[in-house]
Amino acid sequence: MEATKNTLQFQQAIPNDTAHLRSLAHQSEAHWGYGEAFMDTFDRAFNITEQFIRENPVYVSWDHENAIAFWGLKRDGGGWELEYFYISAQCLRNGCGKQMWNHLTDWCRRRSIPEFHFVTSPQAIGFYEKMGAKQDGMWRSSIDGRSIPHFVYNDNQPHPSKT
């Protein structure tokens, strides 16, 4: 795959990208082995919408006609929440996740957004810790009620992703 060997290029997503982003999110989440019932609920309750793309910052990287990575933030009260951070399975463990994280945090830095929070699958804890996010508790999954890690990323704290 060409994009995994080069620097990822991100562009702002548009509502017409929704089907591609939904497919990538589904494939990315399913990669962790979740069952059919979980994935059905995920698709109905959590997957990205055209409205989300119109109302929030969402950025996507493409490999030809395929979305291979995307992130999306939303306002949460007076702060920000990382709602989506998905990468294709073929891009895992080759630096693409770090490139996407750096794109996200650079975007935030340029807009004076020093902090955001998010929940994640347990399988991604190590990645987010390497990127400088700090786990600050456990939340209940809106999909199946299980406990999932909650993280906060603060750009004002020293962390390895800046190096």
Side-chain angles (χ1 to χ4, degrees):
M1 168 173 254
E2 181 180 312
T4 62
K5 296 177 185 168
N6 299 316
T7 301
L8 296 181
Q9 301 296 315
F10 286 89
Q11 62 190 47
Q12 191 160 11
I14 59 173
N16 286 348
D17 296 336
T18 303
H20 292 281
L21 302 186
R22 289 178 69 91
S23 176
L24 174 57
H26 180 95
Q27 292 170 13
S28 181
E29 197 72 18
H31 171 79
W32 300 114
Y34 294 115
E36 187 176 328
F38 177 94
M39 292 307 302
D40 287 345
T41 302
F42 172 86
D43 287 340
R44 282 191 320 277
F46 185 69
N47 224 326
I48 195 162
T49 64
E50 289 181 13
Q51 181 177 350
F52 187 92
I53 293 170
R54 278 192 296 275
E55 296 175 358
N56 300 282
V58 178
Y59 284 82
V60 59
S61 181
W62 298 89
D63 182 22
H64 305 287
E65 71 281 351
N66 298 313
I68 59 169
F70 81 95
W71 62 263
L73 282 173
K74 71 175 184 177
R75 284 205 175 273
D76 183 35
W80 289 86
E81 179 178 4
L82 179 60
E83 187 73 5
Y84 301 103
F85 193 89
Y86 289 106
I87 192 162
S88 66
Q90 61 263 38
C91 290
L92 291 174
R93 294 177 181 79
N94 64 13
C96 289
K98 183 175 181 178
Q99 288 181 53
M100 184 165 59
W101 183 263
N102 288 340
H103 184 268
L104 163 66
T105 56
D106 288 347
W107 185 94
C108 289
R109 196 173 301 114
R110 288 190 307 273
R111 286 152 185 85
S112 300
I113 300 170
E115 184 175 283
F116 56 85
H117 67 98
F118 58 97
V119 294
T120 189
S121 297
Q123 300 89 334
I125 290 172
F127 170 78
Y128 290 117
E129 288 175 340
K130 285 181 188 176
M131 296 299 103
K134 305 288 185 217
Q135 186 175 345
D136 67 344
M138 298 294 283
W139 283 27
R140 289 266 170 233
S141 168
S142 61
I143 298 173
D144 64 357
R146 67 191 159 92
S147 292
I148 54 175
H150 184 270
F151 277 82
V152 172
Y153 174 79
N154 186 316
D155 195 49
N156 295 323
Q157 302 297 314
H159 44 82
S161 70
K162 289 183 179 179
T163 58

